[in-house]
Amino acid sequence: MSVLLAGAASRPVREVPEACLEAGEELLDALLASGSTSRASALDLLAIDALVTYAFQAAADDPARLEERAAQAMARIAALPARLQG
């Protein structure tokens, strides 16, 4: 996790939700691009799940935006496979 978030280490605390979500998206995008569906990708999938979970744990500090963040995150994650085709 620390390697996946290393690039975001200098970002302000208020950007933690976005940093975690971005890192999860990047890893998922790379995993989808690789076409890997084997057990070897299980740890990557767990890391993606953890990053998105952490993003929403951190986002819970701003409950007024939580629903908006969830909708945006779902749209961004759902768009990843389409980017590979286009």
Side-chain angles (χ1 to χ4, degrees):
M1 297 298 287
S2 61
V3 171
L4 296 172
L5 291 169
S10 62
R11 290 172 75 171
V13 171
R14 71 180 183 286
E15 294 182 15
V16 167
E18 185 62 24
C20 289
L21 188 57
E22 287 172 359
E25 281 182 88
E26 288 174 17
L27 184 55
L28 180 57
D29 197 34
L31 190 62
L32 290 170
S34 75
S36 178
T37 58
S38 69
R39 288 180 156 239
S41 58
L43 289 178
D44 289 331
L45 289 171
L46 288 172
I48 293 162
D49 179 64
L51 286 163
V52 173
T53 299
Y54 291 152
F56 281 95
Q57 285 177 332
D61 290 341
D62 186 6
R65 291 202 54 224
L66 197 55
E67 189 172 332
E68 174 190 353
R69 283 183 193 268
Q72 290 173 349
M74 285 190 297
R76 287 165 53 178
I77 292 169
L80 290 175
R83 288 192 344 211
L84 292 174
Q85 297 171 358

